[in-house]
Amino acid sequence: MPSAFSIVREPAQLTAAIADWQRQGHRVALVPTMGALHAGHLALVTEGLKHADKVAASIFVNPKQFGPLEDLDRYPRDEAGDAAKLREAGCELLYAPSVATMYPPGFASYVKVAGLPDRLCGAVRPGHFDGVATVVSKLLAASRADVGVFGEKDWQQLAIIRRMAADLDLGTRIIGAGIVRDQDGLALSSRNMYLNPDERGRALALPQSLIAARDALRGGAALAPTLAAAYLALAQAGFLRVDYIELVDEETLTPLDRPEPGARLMAAAVMGTTRLIDNFAV
Ligand code: AMP
């Protein structure tokens, strides 16, 4: 039986509802999302319930993290469906503010993490991670949640949010949750619904080429030819553009030239009009 569920749209209501829980002695987890929820998002709610007694989620398609040529207008939105899924998963509070509430006229403050956003996705999406850091700092500040849960699918984002929450003394412990994949191995993403059936089939080359590269590296293969083979596999599968395939340190995101503890393979590539990302620990 799902428990009580309410939707609030103003930051003061979020602050009050969570403070109320905390006064009653509950620990509270916040799961920030952009909606169009799938099993990957709901796993974050489940993870939140391992670290807290109450889970709140937010749905906000944040215009500040979309570039001018990106998919802000066509990004999928289904608040009623999302609310039903959240409730079923054990989330009790949804914060769904409007753009005008989050960024009223005169809004002028930004959070910019130095260094970590410069490479990988940040190099191809200028300003994206400033938008992410700004909105997540607002969500954490308004919620004062004990725990914030973020997916490892967006590994660079997770590293940036950890840095920001520590640097700004936000008081929320940041938890990473493992990547949830479709049965065939493609990481779940709200953007997968842009893929037509042919593209969806070809997109599988992304996790497959990373797994092949991971296994080769674990078997002692050299990095350069391993990455070259992964690029080739993606091109042959019909990815129109490969933004990067890199081996990096999972905390600093600096490139590595051989596997070592904390090494992670990260990739981003475009199938049709859809940009997909994925990563695997090596
Ligand atoms: P989004 O709605 O795409 O902004 O994602 C909201 C949160 O869900 C982020 O912390 C993502 O990393 C996380 N997330 C999205 N897809 C997955 C997935 N397949 N597995 C785990 N977490 C995910």
Side-chain angles (χ1 to χ4, degrees):
M1 243 285 277
S3 38
F5 183 81
S6 46
I7 302 181
V8 295
R9 301 192 186 275
E10 296 297 325
Q13 295 174 308
L14 179 69
T15 308
I18 291 185
D20 209 35
W21 277 340
Q22 289 166 330
R23 262 195 306 276
Q24 294 166 33
H26 296 303
R27 286 176 58 76
V28 182
L30 180 72
V31 175
T33 80
M34 296 205 300
L37 302 182
H38 50 63
H41 297 111
L42 302 177
L44 303 185
V45 174
T46 305
E47 186 66 25
L49 286 168
K50 292 185 193 157
H51 303 273
D53 318 301
K54 301 279 184 187
V55 172
S58 63
I59 295 180
F60 180 62
V61 183
N62 175 31
K64 294 201 186 294
Q65 70 187 72
F66 287 78
L69 301 177
E70 292 184 353
D71 56 341
L72 175 62
D73 292 335
R74 69 165 179 155
Y75 198 84
R77 289 163 170 89
D78 173 20
E79 187 185 293
D82 290 344
K85 290 177 191 167
L86 286 169
R87 181 175 193 172
E88 189 60 34
C91 168
E92 291 180 56
L93 178 67
L94 170 60
Y95 178 47
S98 68
V99 173
T101 294
M102 290 296 267
Y103 304 121
F107 182 92
S109 302
Y110 289 83
V111 175
K112 185 179 179 66
V113 177
L116 288 174
D118 292 349
R119 302 182 57 261
L120 306 168
C121 286
V124 202
R125 305 183 72 189
H128 167 70
F129 287 118
D130 299 344
V132 170
T134 300
V135 79
V136 172
S137 62
K138 281 171 67 70
L139 294 169
L140 296 182
S143 67
R144 297 171 208 166
D146 301 283
V147 171
V149 191
F150 296 85
E152 293 184 351
K153 195 196 118 214
D154 300 84
W155 189 274
Q156 186 173 16
Q157 168 174 287
L158 176 61
I160 290 168
I161 289 168
R162 281 191 203 286
R163 182 77 263 158
M164 178 193 77
D167 289 352
L168 300 184
D169 305 320
L170 292 180
T172 300
R173 190 157 68 95
I174 305 300
I175 306 269
I179 302 177
V180 178
R181 298 176 178 280
D182 246 336
Q183 273 183 355
D184 61 2
L186 185 68
L188 294 181
S189 164
S190 307
R191 291 189 165 100
N192 289 354
M193 57 177 90
Y194 300 150
L195 299 167
N196 67 35
D198 176 57
E199 292 168 344
R200 173 63 185 76
R202 294 163 179 269
L204 205 51
L206 182 58
Q208 284 175 346
S209 62
L210 287 177
I211 289 169
R214 176 198 66 190
D215 292 347
L217 291 173
R218 283 181 177 169
L223 182 63
T226 303
L227 295 183
Y231 272 96
L232 185 64
L234 292 187
Q236 283 173 342
F239 278 89
L240 297 178
R241 195 180 89 207
V242 179
D243 285 342
Y244 59 84
I245 308 174
E246 285 198 41
L247 184 71
V248 301
D249 176 87
E250 62 185 12
E251 203 178 323
T252 63
L253 306 180
T254 47
L256 301 173
D257 52 18
R258 63 178 63 82
E260 54 185 63
R264 194 161 276 266
L265 269 171
M266 314 248 294
V270 178
M271 172 58 69
T273 57
T274 308
R275 188 170 178 281
L276 301 174
I277 59 174
D278 204 346
N279 67 86
F280 283 86
V282 178

Short mmCIF file of all heavy atoms in Angstrom, two decimals, residues 29 40-41 44 48 85 141 175 178 208 254 263:
data_model
loop_
_atom_site.label_atom_id
_atom_site.label_comp_id
_atom_site.label_asym_id
_atom_site.label_seq_id
_atom_site.Cartn_x
_atom_site.Cartn_y
_atom_site.Cartn_z
N ALA A 29 15.63 11.79 2.26
CA ALA A 29 16.43 11.76 1.03
C ALA A 29 15.72 12.53 -0.07
O ALA A 29 14.49 12.48 -0.18
CB ALA A 29 16.64 10.31 0.57
N GLY A 40 15.25 3.50 -13.84
CA GLY A 40 16.50 4.05 -13.30
C GLY A 40 16.23 5.11 -12.25
O GLY A 40 16.89 5.18 -11.21
N HIS A 41 15.26 5.99 -12.53
CA HIS A 41 14.90 7.01 -11.54
C HIS A 41 14.29 6.36 -10.30
O HIS A 41 14.58 6.77 -9.17
CB HIS A 41 13.85 7.97 -12.13
CG HIS A 41 14.31 8.76 -13.30
ND1 HIS A 41 13.82 8.57 -14.57
CD2 HIS A 41 15.21 9.76 -13.41
CE1 HIS A 41 14.38 9.43 -15.40
NE2 HIS A 41 15.24 10.16 -14.73
N LEU A 44 16.54 5.13 -7.77
CA LEU A 44 17.10 6.16 -6.89
C LEU A 44 16.21 6.34 -5.65
O LEU A 44 16.69 6.58 -4.55
CB LEU A 44 17.24 7.51 -7.61
CG LEU A 44 18.08 7.56 -8.89
CD1 LEU A 44 18.19 9.00 -9.38
CD2 LEU A 44 19.46 6.98 -8.69
N GLY A 48 17.30 5.72 -1.93
CA GLY A 48 17.05 6.74 -0.91
C GLY A 48 16.45 6.12 0.34
O GLY A 48 16.81 6.49 1.47
N LYS A 85 4.13 6.87 -10.48
CA LYS A 85 5.28 5.96 -10.34
C LYS A 85 6.04 6.24 -9.05
O LYS A 85 6.48 5.32 -8.35
CB LYS A 85 6.23 6.14 -11.53
CG LYS A 85 5.68 5.63 -12.84
CD LYS A 85 6.66 5.92 -13.97
CE LYS A 85 6.01 5.67 -15.32
NZ LYS A 85 6.81 6.22 -16.42
N ALA A 141 19.51 23.35 -1.10
CA ALA A 141 19.35 24.43 -0.12
C ALA A 141 17.89 24.51 0.35
O ALA A 141 17.63 24.69 1.54
CB ALA A 141 19.79 25.76 -0.73
N ILE A 175 24.79 10.52 -2.44
CA ILE A 175 24.90 9.07 -2.65
C ILE A 175 24.78 8.80 -4.15
O ILE A 175 23.90 9.35 -4.81
CB ILE A 175 23.71 8.35 -1.96
CG1 ILE A 175 23.62 8.73 -0.50
CG2 ILE A 175 23.77 6.84 -2.19
CD1 ILE A 175 24.35 7.88 0.45
N GLY A 178 23.77 2.86 -8.71
CA GLY A 178 24.25 2.16 -9.91
C GLY A 178 23.34 2.36 -11.12
O GLY A 178 22.16 2.70 -10.98
N GLN A 208 28.03 -2.15 -25.51
CA GLN A 208 28.82 -3.32 -25.95
C GLN A 208 30.27 -2.95 -26.23
O GLN A 208 31.19 -3.69 -25.89
CB GLN A 208 28.17 -3.95 -27.18
CG GLN A 208 26.92 -4.76 -26.80
CD GLN A 208 26.16 -5.31 -27.98
OE1 GLN A 208 26.41 -4.89 -29.13
NE2 GLN A 208 25.23 -6.22 -27.74
N THR A 254 40.36 13.10 -14.52
CA THR A 254 41.54 13.32 -15.37
C THR A 254 41.83 12.05 -16.16
O THR A 254 41.62 10.93 -15.66
CB THR A 254 42.79 13.70 -14.54
OG1 THR A 254 42.87 12.78 -13.44
CG2 THR A 254 42.67 15.10 -13.99
N ALA A 263 39.64 3.58 -11.98
CA ALA A 263 39.57 3.92 -13.41
C ALA A 263 38.17 3.64 -13.94
O ALA A 263 37.53 2.65 -13.57
CB ALA A 263 40.60 3.11 -14.20
#
